[in-house]
Amino acid sequence: MSDCVFCAIGRGETDADLVAYRSGNVYVVPALLRRENNPGHTLVLPVAHVTGLDGTPPDLLREVFETVARVVFGVREAYGAVGSTVVQNNTAPGQVLHHLHVSVVPRFEGDAFRIPEPDLSEAPREARLARAAALRRVLARKA
Amino acid sequence: MSDCVFCAIGRGETDADLVAYRSGNVYVVPALLRRENNPGHTLVLPVAHVTGLDGTPPDLLREVFETVARVVFGVREAYGAVGSTVVQNNTAPGQVLHHLHVSVVPRFEGDAFRIPEPDLSEAPREARLARAAALRRVLARKA
């Protein structure tokens, strides 16, 4: 959709420097909102504007989750996470962004991870650029 | 692994009546623990004992998420959910069950969904059988 920011990034019209990884139909960017105890929250998105897993063509679904699996590996290496939690909404109540996006939240001992997180804050662009660069380096090594 | 309950269900050694759907290498069962406001919490699991998305062979990963997409559709139809939230842990702190399982949590208006949920309770077996039957009917119709 023309007014969707995730479509615009997907098409390369904006924020190309925030893209940590791209396959043919899927891309990876740091989340805008920051969880204090979970640095490196990352989004995996299709370029196409699909809105839920059940409406996503099978080949694209496969490409999205192959990329999610890469990022699950990547956030351990790039951010020193002990693991990750993957979260994805399908027309959930309160959902704001409808372009399909899969969150990979890096997990750390004692992080007190919770949903919803009341203390979300916007990550400065410089911080997101640094996160993207670190993940890009790791994923570039994993051919 | 021989002492893993999800391996045992996957092999058909126990709880076959709780299995709502099976493809070649993946199966679907109601979650044991119940969220009061989110009836119909469902798990999608590979038969094989893999422990994280990044260690799952690509073909199996595809089959798992094709099945997740089916269940995202299914919980709307079977349980009247408005949508769903998909959650999956990869060696997250506090994680208890290490056989890969993807949660599809049906979502309802005003459900106050949260992770962690402090008021989890074990769903009676009869309730889980009814949930499995309802989902089985819907997924059987969706060839």
Short mmCIF file of all heavy atoms in Angstrom, two decimals, chain A residues 31-86:
data_model
loop_
_atom_site.label_atom_id
_atom_site.label_comp_id
_atom_site.label_asym_id
_atom_site.label_seq_id
_atom_site.Cartn_x
_atom_site.Cartn_y
_atom_site.Cartn_z
N ALA A 31 13.84 -2.89 14.96
CA ALA A 31 12.56 -2.30 15.37
C ALA A 31 12.78 -0.85 15.77
O ALA A 31 13.83 -0.48 16.31
CB ALA A 31 11.97 -3.09 16.54
N LEU A 32 11.77 -0.02 15.51
CA LEU A 32 11.84 1.39 15.90
C LEU A 32 11.76 1.54 17.42
O LEU A 32 12.48 2.35 18.01
CB LEU A 32 10.68 2.15 15.24
CG LEU A 32 10.52 3.62 15.62
CD1 LEU A 32 11.75 4.42 15.21
CD2 LEU A 32 9.26 4.20 14.96
N LEU A 33 10.90 0.76 18.03
CA LEU A 33 10.70 0.90 19.48
C LEU A 33 11.63 -0.05 20.22
O LEU A 33 11.82 -1.20 19.83
CB LEU A 33 9.24 0.62 19.84
CG LEU A 33 8.26 1.64 19.22
CD1 LEU A 33 6.82 1.27 19.56
CD2 LEU A 33 8.57 3.06 19.71
N ARG A 34 12.19 0.46 21.29
CA ARG A 34 13.25 -0.25 22.00
C ARG A 34 12.75 -0.79 23.33
O ARG A 34 12.13 -0.07 24.11
CB ARG A 34 14.38 0.75 22.23
CG ARG A 34 15.54 0.20 23.00
CD ARG A 34 16.75 1.09 22.86
NE ARG A 34 16.49 2.48 23.25
CZ ARG A 34 17.40 3.43 23.27
NH1 ARG A 34 18.65 3.14 22.88
NH2 ARG A 34 17.10 4.65 23.63
N ARG A 35 13.05 -2.05 23.57
CA ARG A 35 12.87 -2.64 24.90
C ARG A 35 14.20 -2.53 25.62
O ARG A 35 15.21 -3.08 25.16
CB ARG A 35 12.51 -4.12 24.77
CG ARG A 35 11.14 -4.38 24.19
CD ARG A 35 10.96 -5.87 23.88
NE ARG A 35 9.57 -6.11 23.57
CZ ARG A 35 8.67 -6.47 24.48
NH1 ARG A 35 9.03 -6.70 25.73
NH2 ARG A 35 7.42 -6.63 24.13
N GLU A 36 14.19 -1.88 26.74
CA GLU A 36 15.41 -1.57 27.47
C GLU A 36 16.28 -2.83 27.69
O GLU A 36 17.49 -2.80 27.51
CB GLU A 36 15.05 -0.94 28.81
CG GLU A 36 16.20 -0.29 29.55
CD GLU A 36 16.75 0.93 28.82
OE1 GLU A 36 15.95 1.68 28.19
OE2 GLU A 36 17.98 1.10 28.85
N ASN A 37 15.63 -3.93 28.08
CA ASN A 37 16.37 -5.13 28.47
C ASN A 37 16.61 -6.11 27.31
O ASN A 37 17.17 -7.18 27.53
CB ASN A 37 15.62 -5.89 29.57
CG ASN A 37 15.51 -5.09 30.84
OD1 ASN A 37 16.27 -4.15 31.07
ND2 ASN A 37 14.55 -5.45 31.68
N ASN A 38 16.13 -5.74 26.14
CA ASN A 38 16.26 -6.65 24.99
C ASN A 38 16.82 -5.92 23.78
O ASN A 38 16.16 -5.82 22.74
CB ASN A 38 14.89 -7.25 24.64
CG ASN A 38 14.32 -8.07 25.79
OD1 ASN A 38 13.59 -7.53 26.62
ND2 ASN A 38 14.66 -9.32 25.87
N PRO A 39 18.04 -5.40 23.91
CA PRO A 39 18.62 -4.68 22.77
C PRO A 39 18.72 -5.59 21.55
O PRO A 39 19.08 -6.76 21.67
CB PRO A 39 20.00 -4.29 23.29
CG PRO A 39 20.29 -5.21 24.42
CD PRO A 39 18.96 -5.49 25.05
N GLY A 40 18.39 -5.02 20.41
CA GLY A 40 18.53 -5.77 19.16
C GLY A 40 17.23 -6.34 18.63
O GLY A 40 17.25 -7.20 17.74
N HIS A 41 16.11 -5.86 19.14
CA HIS A 41 14.80 -6.30 18.63
C HIS A 41 14.76 -6.04 17.12
O HIS A 41 14.98 -4.93 16.66
CB HIS A 41 13.71 -5.52 19.37
CG HIS A 41 12.31 -5.89 18.99
ND1 HIS A 41 11.23 -5.48 19.72
CD2 HIS A 41 11.80 -6.60 17.96
CE1 HIS A 41 10.11 -5.94 19.17
NE2 HIS A 41 10.43 -6.61 18.09
N THR A 42 14.48 -7.08 16.37
CA THR A 42 14.61 -7.04 14.91
C THR A 42 13.32 -7.49 14.25
O THR A 42 12.63 -8.36 14.78
CB THR A 42 15.78 -7.98 14.50
OG1 THR A 42 16.98 -7.53 15.15
CG2 THR A 42 16.01 -7.99 13.00
N LEU A 43 13.00 -6.88 13.11
CA LEU A 43 11.80 -7.26 12.36
C LEU A 43 12.18 -7.92 11.03
O LEU A 43 13.10 -7.46 10.35
CB LEU A 43 10.95 -6.01 12.05
CG LEU A 43 10.52 -5.15 13.24
CD1 LEU A 43 9.66 -3.98 12.74
CD2 LEU A 43 9.77 -5.96 14.28
N VAL A 44 11.44 -8.96 10.69
CA VAL A 44 11.57 -9.63 9.39
C VAL A 44 10.26 -9.40 8.64
O VAL A 44 9.19 -9.67 9.19
CB VAL A 44 11.82 -11.14 9.57
CG1 VAL A 44 11.89 -11.84 8.22
CG2 VAL A 44 13.09 -11.38 10.40
N LEU A 45 10.37 -8.88 7.41
CA LEU A 45 9.15 -8.50 6.68
C LEU A 45 9.22 -8.90 5.22
O LEU A 45 10.28 -8.83 4.59
CB LEU A 45 8.97 -6.97 6.72
CG LEU A 45 9.05 -6.29 8.07
CD1 LEU A 45 10.42 -5.67 8.28
CD2 LEU A 45 7.98 -5.22 8.20
N PRO A 46 8.07 -9.26 4.65
CA PRO A 46 8.01 -9.41 3.20
C PRO A 46 7.99 -8.03 2.56
O PRO A 46 7.48 -7.07 3.15
CB PRO A 46 6.69 -10.14 2.97
CG PRO A 46 5.84 -9.78 4.13
CD PRO A 46 6.78 -9.53 5.30
N VAL A 47 8.52 -7.91 1.36
CA VAL A 47 8.40 -6.66 0.60
C VAL A 47 6.93 -6.40 0.27
O VAL A 47 6.44 -5.28 0.39
CB VAL A 47 9.25 -6.75 -0.69
CG1 VAL A 47 8.97 -5.55 -1.60
CG2 VAL A 47 10.74 -6.84 -0.34
N ALA A 48 6.22 -7.44 -0.11
CA ALA A 48 4.80 -7.30 -0.48
C ALA A 48 3.95 -7.01 0.74
O ALA A 48 4.23 -7.48 1.85
CB ALA A 48 4.32 -8.58 -1.16
N HIS A 49 2.90 -6.23 0.54
CA HIS A 49 2.01 -5.88 1.65
C HIS A 49 1.00 -7.00 1.89
O HIS A 49 -0.12 -6.97 1.38
CB HIS A 49 1.28 -4.56 1.34
CG HIS A 49 0.52 -4.02 2.52
ND1 HIS A 49 1.08 -3.16 3.43
CD2 HIS A 49 -0.75 -4.22 2.94
CE1 HIS A 49 0.19 -2.85 4.36
NE2 HIS A 49 -0.94 -3.49 4.08
N VAL A 50 1.41 -8.00 2.65
CA VAL A 50 0.47 -9.02 3.11
C VAL A 50 0.24 -8.75 4.60
O VAL A 50 1.06 -8.10 5.26
CB VAL A 50 0.99 -10.45 2.87
CG1 VAL A 50 1.09 -10.73 1.39
CG2 VAL A 50 2.33 -10.67 3.56
N THR A 51 -0.89 -9.23 5.13
CA THR A 51 -1.28 -8.78 6.47
C THR A 51 -1.37 -9.89 7.51
O THR A 51 -1.54 -9.60 8.68
CB THR A 51 -2.63 -8.04 6.42
OG1 THR A 51 -3.61 -8.93 5.89
CG2 THR A 51 -2.54 -6.80 5.54
N GLY A 52 -1.28 -11.12 7.10
CA GLY A 52 -1.34 -12.19 8.10
C GLY A 52 -0.77 -13.47 7.52
O GLY A 52 -0.69 -13.62 6.29
N LEU A 53 -0.39 -14.38 8.40
CA LEU A 53 0.24 -15.61 7.91
C LEU A 53 -0.70 -16.40 7.01
O LEU A 53 -0.26 -17.03 6.04
CB LEU A 53 0.67 -16.50 9.07
CG LEU A 53 1.77 -15.94 9.97
CD1 LEU A 53 2.20 -17.01 10.96
CD2 LEU A 53 2.96 -15.44 9.17
N ASP A 54 -1.98 -16.37 7.34
CA ASP A 54 -2.92 -17.19 6.57
C ASP A 54 -3.22 -16.60 5.20
O ASP A 54 -3.79 -17.28 4.35
CB ASP A 54 -4.21 -17.46 7.35
CG ASP A 54 -4.85 -16.18 7.87
OD1 ASP A 54 -4.16 -15.17 8.04
OD2 ASP A 54 -6.07 -16.20 8.10
N GLY A 55 -2.83 -15.35 4.95
CA GLY A 55 -3.02 -14.78 3.62
C GLY A 55 -1.74 -14.69 2.82
O GLY A 55 -1.72 -14.06 1.76
N THR A 56 -0.67 -15.30 3.31
CA THR A 56 0.64 -15.18 2.67
C THR A 56 0.88 -16.37 1.74
O THR A 56 0.73 -17.52 2.17
CB THR A 56 1.74 -15.12 3.75
OG1 THR A 56 1.48 -14.00 4.60
CG2 THR A 56 3.11 -14.97 3.14
N PRO A 57 1.25 -16.13 0.48
CA PRO A 57 1.51 -17.24 -0.43
C PRO A 57 2.60 -18.17 0.15
O PRO A 57 3.55 -17.69 0.79
CB PRO A 57 2.01 -16.55 -1.71
CG PRO A 57 1.46 -15.16 -1.65
CD PRO A 57 1.41 -14.81 -0.19
N PRO A 58 2.48 -19.48 -0.08
CA PRO A 58 3.39 -20.46 0.54
C PRO A 58 4.88 -20.17 0.29
O PRO A 58 5.70 -20.30 1.20
CB PRO A 58 2.97 -21.79 -0.08
CG PRO A 58 1.53 -21.60 -0.42
CD PRO A 58 1.38 -20.15 -0.80
N ASP A 59 5.24 -19.79 -0.93
CA ASP A 59 6.67 -19.54 -1.21
C ASP A 59 7.18 -18.36 -0.41
O ASP A 59 8.33 -18.35 0.06
CB ASP A 59 6.89 -19.29 -2.70
CG ASP A 59 6.82 -20.57 -3.51
OD1 ASP A 59 6.76 -21.66 -2.91
OD2 ASP A 59 6.83 -20.46 -4.75
N LEU A 60 6.35 -17.34 -0.26
CA LEU A 60 6.75 -16.16 0.51
C LEU A 60 6.82 -16.50 2.00
O LEU A 60 7.74 -16.08 2.70
CB LEU A 60 5.76 -15.02 0.24
CG LEU A 60 6.06 -13.69 0.92
CD1 LEU A 60 7.47 -13.19 0.58
CD2 LEU A 60 5.02 -12.63 0.53
N LEU A 61 5.85 -17.30 2.45
CA LEU A 61 5.85 -17.74 3.85
C LEU A 61 7.17 -18.47 4.16
O LEU A 61 7.79 -18.23 5.20
CB LEU A 61 4.66 -18.68 4.06
CG LEU A 61 4.30 -19.08 5.48
CD1 LEU A 61 3.78 -17.89 6.27
CD2 LEU A 61 3.25 -20.19 5.46
N ARG A 62 7.58 -19.33 3.26
CA ARG A 62 8.83 -20.06 3.45
C ARG A 62 10.01 -19.10 3.52
O ARG A 62 10.88 -19.21 4.39
CB ARG A 62 9.03 -21.06 2.30
CG ARG A 62 10.29 -21.89 2.46
CD ARG A 62 10.54 -22.72 1.22
NE ARG A 62 10.78 -21.84 0.08
CZ ARG A 62 10.47 -22.13 -1.19
NH1 ARG A 62 9.90 -23.27 -1.49
NH2 ARG A 62 10.73 -21.27 -2.15
N GLU A 63 10.03 -18.13 2.62
CA GLU A 63 11.16 -17.19 2.58
C GLU A 63 11.19 -16.33 3.85
O GLU A 63 12.27 -16.05 4.38
CB GLU A 63 11.05 -16.32 1.32
CG GLU A 63 12.28 -15.51 1.02
CD GLU A 63 12.22 -14.81 -0.35
OE1 GLU A 63 11.57 -15.35 -1.28
OE2 GLU A 63 12.83 -13.74 -0.47
N VAL A 64 10.01 -15.94 4.32
CA VAL A 64 9.96 -15.15 5.57
C VAL A 64 10.56 -15.96 6.72
O VAL A 64 11.43 -15.46 7.45
CB VAL A 64 8.50 -14.76 5.91
CG1 VAL A 64 8.41 -14.23 7.34
CG2 VAL A 64 7.98 -13.70 4.93
N PHE A 65 10.18 -17.22 6.87
CA PHE A 65 10.64 -17.96 8.04
C PHE A 65 12.04 -18.53 7.88
O PHE A 65 12.73 -18.76 8.87
CB PHE A 65 9.59 -18.98 8.48
CG PHE A 65 8.47 -18.30 9.23
CD1 PHE A 65 7.30 -17.95 8.59
CD2 PHE A 65 8.65 -17.91 10.54
CE1 PHE A 65 6.30 -17.25 9.27
CE2 PHE A 65 7.66 -17.21 11.23
CZ PHE A 65 6.48 -16.88 10.58
N GLU A 66 12.50 -18.72 6.66
CA GLU A 66 13.92 -19.01 6.48
C GLU A 66 14.75 -17.81 6.96
O GLU A 66 15.80 -17.97 7.58
CB GLU A 66 14.24 -19.30 5.01
CG GLU A 66 13.83 -20.71 4.58
CD GLU A 66 14.07 -20.98 3.10
OE1 GLU A 66 14.46 -20.04 2.37
OE2 GLU A 66 13.84 -22.12 2.68
N THR A 67 14.24 -16.63 6.68
CA THR A 67 14.94 -15.42 7.12
C THR A 67 14.83 -15.25 8.63
O THR A 67 15.81 -14.88 9.30
CB THR A 67 14.39 -14.19 6.37
OG1 THR A 67 14.44 -14.45 4.97
CG2 THR A 67 15.20 -12.95 6.69
N VAL A 68 13.66 -15.54 9.19
CA VAL A 68 13.52 -15.50 10.65
C VAL A 68 14.55 -16.44 11.30
O VAL A 68 15.21 -16.08 12.28
CB VAL A 68 12.08 -15.89 11.09
CG1 VAL A 68 11.99 -16.09 12.60
CG2 VAL A 68 11.08 -14.81 10.64
N ALA A 69 14.69 -17.64 10.75
CA ALA A 69 15.65 -18.60 11.31
C ALA A 69 17.07 -18.03 11.26
O ALA A 69 17.85 -18.19 12.20
CB ALA A 69 15.56 -19.93 10.57
N ARG A 70 17.40 -17.36 10.17
CA ARG A 70 18.72 -16.70 10.07
C ARG A 70 18.90 -15.65 11.16
O ARG A 70 19.97 -15.52 11.76
CB ARG A 70 18.83 -15.92 8.75
CG ARG A 70 19.37 -16.70 7.62
CD ARG A 70 19.35 -15.83 6.36
NE ARG A 70 19.71 -16.66 5.26
CZ ARG A 70 20.98 -16.84 4.84
NH1 ARG A 70 21.97 -16.19 5.40
NH2 ARG A 70 21.24 -17.66 3.86
N VAL A 71 17.84 -14.89 11.39
CA VAL A 71 17.93 -13.80 12.35
C VAL A 71 17.99 -14.36 13.79
O VAL A 71 18.68 -13.80 14.65
CB VAL A 71 16.77 -12.80 12.16
CG1 VAL A 71 16.72 -11.76 13.26
CG2 VAL A 71 16.91 -12.12 10.79
N VAL A 72 17.30 -15.48 14.03
CA VAL A 72 17.40 -16.15 15.34
C VAL A 72 18.87 -16.49 15.62
O VAL A 72 19.37 -16.29 16.73
CB VAL A 72 16.52 -17.42 15.35
CG1 VAL A 72 16.89 -18.36 16.49
CG2 VAL A 72 15.04 -17.02 15.46
N PHE A 73 19.55 -17.00 14.62
CA PHE A 73 20.99 -17.24 14.73
C PHE A 73 21.73 -15.90 14.88
O PHE A 73 22.58 -15.73 15.76
CB PHE A 73 21.48 -17.98 13.48
CG PHE A 73 22.98 -17.98 13.31
CD1 PHE A 73 23.76 -18.92 13.95
CD2 PHE A 73 23.60 -17.02 12.51
CE1 PHE A 73 25.15 -18.92 13.81
CE2 PHE A 73 24.98 -17.00 12.37
CZ PHE A 73 25.75 -17.95 13.01
N GLY A 74 21.36 -14.96 14.05
CA GLY A 74 22.09 -13.70 13.98
C GLY A 74 22.08 -12.88 15.26
O GLY A 74 23.09 -12.28 15.62
N VAL A 75 20.95 -12.86 15.96
CA VAL A 75 20.90 -12.01 17.16
C VAL A 75 21.74 -12.58 18.29
O VAL A 75 22.20 -11.83 19.15
CB VAL A 75 19.45 -11.73 17.65
CG1 VAL A 75 18.65 -10.98 16.58
CG2 VAL A 75 18.73 -12.98 18.12
N ARG A 76 21.95 -13.89 18.28
CA ARG A 76 22.89 -14.45 19.27
C ARG A 76 24.31 -13.94 18.99
O ARG A 76 25.01 -13.49 19.89
CB ARG A 76 22.92 -15.99 19.18
CG ARG A 76 21.86 -16.67 19.98
CD ARG A 76 22.25 -18.14 20.24
NE ARG A 76 21.06 -18.92 20.46
CZ ARG A 76 20.39 -19.55 19.50
NH1 ARG A 76 20.84 -19.56 18.26
NH2 ARG A 76 19.30 -20.20 19.80
N GLU A 77 24.68 -14.02 17.74
CA GLU A 77 26.04 -13.66 17.35
C GLU A 77 26.28 -12.15 17.41
O GLU A 77 27.32 -11.69 17.85
CB GLU A 77 26.31 -14.14 15.92
CG GLU A 77 26.20 -15.62 15.73
CD GLU A 77 27.37 -16.37 16.36
OE1 GLU A 77 28.52 -15.95 16.14
OE2 GLU A 77 27.12 -17.36 17.08
N ALA A 78 25.30 -11.41 16.94
CA ALA A 78 25.49 -9.96 16.80
C ALA A 78 25.35 -9.23 18.12
O ALA A 78 26.02 -8.22 18.36
CB ALA A 78 24.51 -9.39 15.77
N TYR A 79 24.46 -9.71 18.98
CA TYR A 79 24.12 -8.95 20.19
C TYR A 79 24.42 -9.72 21.48
O TYR A 79 24.11 -9.25 22.57
CB TYR A 79 22.63 -8.56 20.16
CG TYR A 79 22.21 -7.89 18.87
CD1 TYR A 79 21.07 -8.31 18.19
CD2 TYR A 79 22.95 -6.84 18.33
CE1 TYR A 79 20.68 -7.71 17.00
CE2 TYR A 79 22.56 -6.24 17.14
CZ TYR A 79 21.43 -6.68 16.49
OH TYR A 79 21.06 -6.08 15.31
N GLY A 80 24.98 -10.92 21.35
CA GLY A 80 25.30 -11.69 22.55
C GLY A 80 24.09 -12.20 23.30
O GLY A 80 24.16 -12.49 24.50
N ALA A 81 22.95 -12.35 22.61
CA ALA A 81 21.75 -12.87 23.25
C ALA A 81 21.93 -14.35 23.58
O ALA A 81 22.67 -15.06 22.90
CB ALA A 81 20.55 -12.68 22.32
N VAL A 82 21.23 -14.82 24.62
CA VAL A 82 21.26 -16.25 24.92
C VAL A 82 20.24 -17.00 24.06
O VAL A 82 20.31 -18.22 23.93
CB VAL A 82 20.99 -16.55 26.41
CG1 VAL A 82 22.02 -15.87 27.29
CG2 VAL A 82 19.58 -16.13 26.84
N GLY A 83 19.30 -16.29 23.52
CA GLY A 83 18.27 -16.90 22.68
C GLY A 83 17.36 -15.82 22.16
O GLY A 83 17.75 -14.64 22.11
N SER A 84 16.15 -16.21 21.77
CA SER A 84 15.23 -15.21 21.24
C SER A 84 13.79 -15.69 21.40
O SER A 84 13.53 -16.88 21.53
CB SER A 84 15.52 -14.92 19.77
OG SER A 84 15.43 -16.11 19.01
N THR A 85 12.89 -14.72 21.39
CA THR A 85 11.46 -15.02 21.32
C THR A 85 10.92 -14.39 20.04
O THR A 85 11.17 -13.22 19.76
CB THR A 85 10.73 -14.47 22.56
OG1 THR A 85 11.20 -15.18 23.71
CG2 THR A 85 9.22 -14.66 22.45
N VAL A 86 10.21 -15.22 19.27
CA VAL A 86 9.62 -14.78 18.01
C VAL A 86 8.14 -14.49 18.26
O VAL A 86 7.45 -15.30 18.89
CB VAL A 86 9.79 -15.88 16.94
CG1 VAL A 86 9.01 -15.57 15.68
CG2 VAL A 86 11.27 -16.08 16.64
#
